[in-house]
Amino acid sequence: MKKSLLFFLLLFFQTLLLAVEDANLSIPNDLQVQEQIKEYEDQLLDISSAISDENVWIKSYATYLAALRVKDELDKIKERIQWLTKHGRSAREIDELNGLIAKESILTTQIGQLKDEHYTPFSELITPPKIEESPEITNPFDIFTGMSLIKTLNNNLEDYKKKKKNLAELISVLKKELDIHKKLAEFDNEKYAEELKEQQLQVARFERALDTMSATLEVYQKRLDIAAVNINKGIETQVYRLIKIGIAILVVFFIFLTLKLIVKKYITDNERFYMANKIITFTNFTIIILIIFFNYIENASYLVTILGFASAGIAIAMKDWFMSILGWLVIVIGGSIHVGDRIRVDMDGMQYVGDVLDISLLRITILEDVTLTSVVHNRRAGRIIFIPNNYVFTKMIANYTHNSLKTVWDGIKITITFDSNHKKAMYLVKEITKKYSKGYTDITRKQLNRLRQHYSLKNTNVEPRIYSFIEDNGLNIEAWYLTNAYATLTLRSVISTEIIDAFNDEDDITIAYPTQKLHVDMKSSKPSAMPENELV
């Protein structure tokens, strides 16, 4: 019995000893508590440093809190102002009232600047970018506008998703910070209760913002999808229209290319081939312009209005171009000038003689040749001269090879002395000119016969013409003959040398040229005597 009682007592004391040790282990001492608190505070510092002050969400929330503090302070100031206005009597209270009024004005200004953040935190951040109204794709240039808008909308969506992701990551960090605050509140509720409350409120506000963004993102993405569908539909319509226009242009181009090949095969005359080729090219270009024009102008009345205003604007602002186009029509339809013709143009006090290389919509292009004009006046040749088509209305343009004519009259002048045998001289000149111009005379006779079909010709004499005129220093003999319009100087040079040789072979013909005769009297005579009564 005693042994049993002793055993139970030992067991009781051992159990009691173990309980005391467990209690000592479960109740930390003050040193351990301080170390644990310091460890948590270090963790808070690490988290705070991890959260950048440049984070847009943190900055926006800080601005919101600042707005709340300013509002609270402003409410207190207004209450104090009301009390001082009713009960303030002393000078000290009046000075306080004036200071509070000034401070109220400053804080009111700050509230106005922080108004958006004050009324709704993160209002700017959680609001998605505005979706502009989808543009109507009506022409190929709008395709690039639509594609650019789709790219912009997608970029805005990605930016919004990125902001949402950043907010979610920030909330995750803030929750860790909230858990630490809860642990600190367990050690010292009075000290950390206020911080815990603020932290809980902050996390709640950020979570509401995240929920708002999640709901907004879904709606925003659907709106973007609708806008993209509308834009892509317009782009597809324009691409399909471009394909149709391209096919139509290719067909027109093929048809006119075939016409050019036919013209090249069956028209052997270079001038007619050039003109036919020009007409085909112009018609091809006009049809292509009309195809494009009528595909993008759907309203006929709108088309008439555009053409009316465009015509008026062109007539006023582009008068010279308009007149050049009208001049081109006159040249092409009237047939006064053709490619290959030799023409002379009086322009800006200068004379240019050359062959027509091209007749475009705005100008005539000629190649200046070596002619009597370039020898006597310009002393230049070989230049490419551009003549506006409107010159046919305002300037002198002479065509040396109009229609079937390919010859022109050219003249040579030579002077003989008065005592020369002028009849023989005129006979020699006439024979020489007839000899060298006979071929051109026969050609011109045939050309004039063909020209009678278009013009009334009175004088059709094509034989060389010899004239004589009395001049100060002798008898002037002029010989006029027909020559190739493209090589007048060649025949002129040949005939001139032949006339000189013929005159030099004759003893009774002397070529006159400016001379001077000097009479010298070597005899000297004495002056006669003056009468005595003569006054000088």
Side-chain angles (χ1 to χ4, degrees):
M1 185 70 180
K2 289 181 180 180
K3 290 181 179 180
S4 300
L5 182 60
L6 181 62
F7 173 76
F8 282 112
L9 287 173
L10 289 173
L11 182 61
F12 173 75
F13 283 115
Q14 186 177 3
T15 304
L16 182 62
L17 182 61
L18 291 174
V20 171
E21 290 179 357
D22 292 338
N24 290 332
L25 291 174
S26 62
I27 299 175
N29 53 32
D30 293 340
L31 182 59
Q32 291 177 337
V33 170
Q34 293 300 325
E35 290 178 353
Q36 190 67 43
I37 291 175
K38 187 177 183 305
E39 181 181 354
Y40 287 148
E41 289 179 345
D42 291 340
Q43 292 179 6
L44 288 177
L45 290 175
D46 293 339
I47 293 175
S48 298
S49 61
I51 301 175
S52 174
D53 292 337
E54 297 300 322
N55 188 297
V56 292
W57 295 100
I58 296 297
K59 291 177 67 175
S60 179
Y61 188 70
T63 305
Y64 169 71
L65 294 179
L68 290 180
R69 288 194 295 270
V70 171
K71 182 179 181 301
D72 293 340
E73 186 176 358
L74 183 61
D75 292 340
K76 294 178 181 179
I77 290 174
K78 288 181 178 180
E79 291 179 0
R80 181 62 178 168
I81 289 175
Q82 290 179 356
W83 188 89
L84 291 175
T85 302
K86 293 180 180 179
H87 305 94
R89 296 291 185 272
S90 64
R92 181 178 179 181
E93 291 175 341
I94 293 174
D95 290 340
E96 182 184 0
L97 176 62
N98 293 333
L100 291 175
I101 292 173
K103 190 174 183 180
E104 180 191 20
S105 177
I106 296 172
L107 293 180
T108 302
T109 303
Q110 294 181 357
I111 284 291
Q113 295 175 352
L114 301 173
K115 181 174 66 174
D116 294 339
E117 289 80 0
H118 165 66
Y119 287 108
T120 305
F122 320 119
S123 59
E124 184 176 351
L125 294 175
I126 63 178
T127 303
K130 183 180 179 181
I131 300 178
E132 299 180 1
E133 186 177 354
S134 300
E136 187 176 356
I137 311 297
T138 58
N139 58 69
F141 299 102
D142 290 339
I143 293 176
F144 300 102
T145 303
M147 294 175 65
S148 176
L149 181 58
I150 290 176
K151 184 177 180 181
T152 301
L153 294 176
N154 290 332
N155 290 337
N156 291 339
L157 178 62
E158 293 300 322
D159 291 340
Y160 195 71
K161 288 181 178 180
K162 187 176 180 181
K163 286 195 294 185
K164 180 176 175 292
K165 180 180 178 181
N166 292 338
L167 178 59
E169 293 175 353
L170 178 62
I171 291 175
S172 177
V173 175
L174 293 177
K175 284 184 176 180
K176 292 180 181 179
E177 191 177 13
L178 178 61
D179 292 339
I180 296 175
H181 276 92
K182 289 180 179 179
K183 292 179 181 179
L184 288 174
E186 292 177 359
F187 289 108
D188 191 348
N189 187 46
E190 294 181 0
K191 181 179 180 181
Y192 297 102
E194 187 66 25
E195 294 182 7
L196 177 61
K197 182 179 179 182
E198 291 180 0
Q199 190 68 23
Q200 289 174 338
L201 186 60
Q202 181 183 12
V203 172
R205 286 169 176 165
F206 277 102
E207 287 180 339
R208 283 198 299 270
L210 182 61
D211 294 339
T212 303
M213 287 192 74
S214 298
T216 304
L217 179 61
E218 184 178 356
V219 177
Y220 182 66
Q221 192 161 4
K222 290 181 179 179
R223 291 176 60 196
L224 287 184
D225 292 339
I226 295 173
V229 167
N230 292 334
I231 295 174
N232 287 327
K233 184 177 180 181
I235 292 175
E236 290 177 1
T237 302
Q238 290 304 316
V239 170
Y240 179 68
R241 180 178 291 179
L242 281 176
I243 293 173
K244 292 195 300 182
I245 294 173
I247 294 173
I249 291 175
L250 287 176
V251 171
V252 171
F253 182 79
F254 178 77
I255 292 173
F256 281 94
L257 181 62
T258 305
L259 287 176
K260 285 188 176 183
L261 294 176
I262 294 173
V263 167
K264 184 177 181 180
K265 182 176 180 180
Y266 292 100
I267 298 180
T268 57
D269 183 70
N270 290 333
E271 181 180 331
R272 291 182 177 179
F273 169 73
Y274 175 83
M275 187 55 61
N277 192 50
K278 275 283 186 181
I279 293 172
I280 291 173
T281 302
F282 178 75
T283 307
N284 184 20
F285 178 76
T286 303
I287 291 176
I288 290 174
I289 292 296
L290 291 176
I291 289 173
I292 297 174
F293 204 69
F294 282 103
N295 266 279
Y296 291 102
I297 300 295
E298 299 177 356
N299 191 335
S301 60
Y302 182 54
L303 173 61
V304 172
T305 304
I306 289 178
L307 291 177
F309 282 108
S311 301
I314 291 174
I316 296 172
M318 304 175 68
K319 180 182 68 175
D320 292 338
W321 283 25
F322 181 77
M323 293 300 294
S324 291
I325 295 173
L326 185 60
W328 177 81
L329 292 174
V330 171
I331 293 170
V332 172
I333 297 174
S336 56
I337 300 174
H338 298 85
V339 173
D341 286 352
R342 171 153 292 193
I343 64 173
R344 189 195 77 187
V345 181
D346 296 339
M347 186 167 58
D348 298 330
M350 296 290 291
Q351 293 181 351
Y352 302 97
V353 178
D355 302 330
V356 178
L357 299 178
D358 181 52
I359 303 175
S360 65
L361 198 62
L362 297 178
R363 59 177 176 260
I364 302 171
T365 305
I366 68 172
L367 174 62
E368 187 182 22
D369 197 4
V370 179
T371 61
L372 188 62
T373 301
S374 58
V375 171
V376 176
H377 299 288
N378 297 342
R379 304 302 303 172
R380 294 289 187 277
R383 296 173 290 186
I384 300 295
I385 310 297
F386 300 100
I387 306 163
N389 289 338
N390 58 6
Y391 272 37
V392 298
F393 303 115
T394 59
K395 303 293 181 181
M396 169 62 184
I397 299 179
N399 191 344
Y400 295 146
T401 56
H402 176 62
N403 208 327
S404 60
L405 287 177
K406 301 300 177 185
T407 56
V408 292
W409 286 94
D410 192 19
I412 295 176
K413 178 175 68 174
I414 189 168
T415 306
I416 60 176
T417 59
F418 288 113
D419 56 357
S420 298
N421 188 345
H422 63 277
K423 292 182 178 180
K424 182 189 288 187
M426 292 180 66
Y427 173 78
L428 291 174
V429 170
K430 184 174 183 180
E431 290 300 318
I432 292 172
T433 54
K434 285 178 65 176
K435 175 183 176 182
Y436 288 97
S437 66
K438 186 178 185 306
Y440 300 112
T441 300
D442 296 338
I443 293 173
T444 305
R445 187 177 289 109
K446 296 177 182 178
Q447 292 173 349
L448 290 177
N449 288 332
R450 289 197 296 267
L451 199 62
R452 289 178 183 274
Q453 301 174 7
H454 305 283
Y455 300 98
S456 175
L457 298 177
K458 301 298 183 181
N459 184 8
T460 58
N461 181 18
V462 294
E463 295 298 326
R465 302 173 189 180
I466 311 301
Y467 304 99
S468 60
F469 304 98
I470 298 175
E471 300 292 343
D472 294 338
N473 59 337
L475 186 67
N476 189 10
I477 299 176
E478 291 195 11
W480 288 87
Y481 54 91
L482 288 164
T483 182
N484 185 0
Y486 297 96
T488 57
L489 290 182
T490 302
L491 187 57
R492 183 187 184 92
S493 177
V494 171
I495 293 177
S496 297
T497 56
E498 289 294 325
I499 291 174
I500 295 295
D501 292 339
F503 283 4
N504 288 335
D505 292 339
E506 302 295 332
D507 296 333
D508 54 352
I509 300 176
T510 303
I511 299 174
Y513 49 86
T515 58
Q516 291 181 346
K517 290 184 178 181
L518 181 63
H519 298 275
V520 180
D521 188 359
M522 301 301 294
K523 297 180 180 181
S524 61
S525 59
K526 294 182 180 180
S528 58
M530 296 177 60
E532 296 182 356
N533 298 328
E534 186 176 353
L535 296 177
V536 179

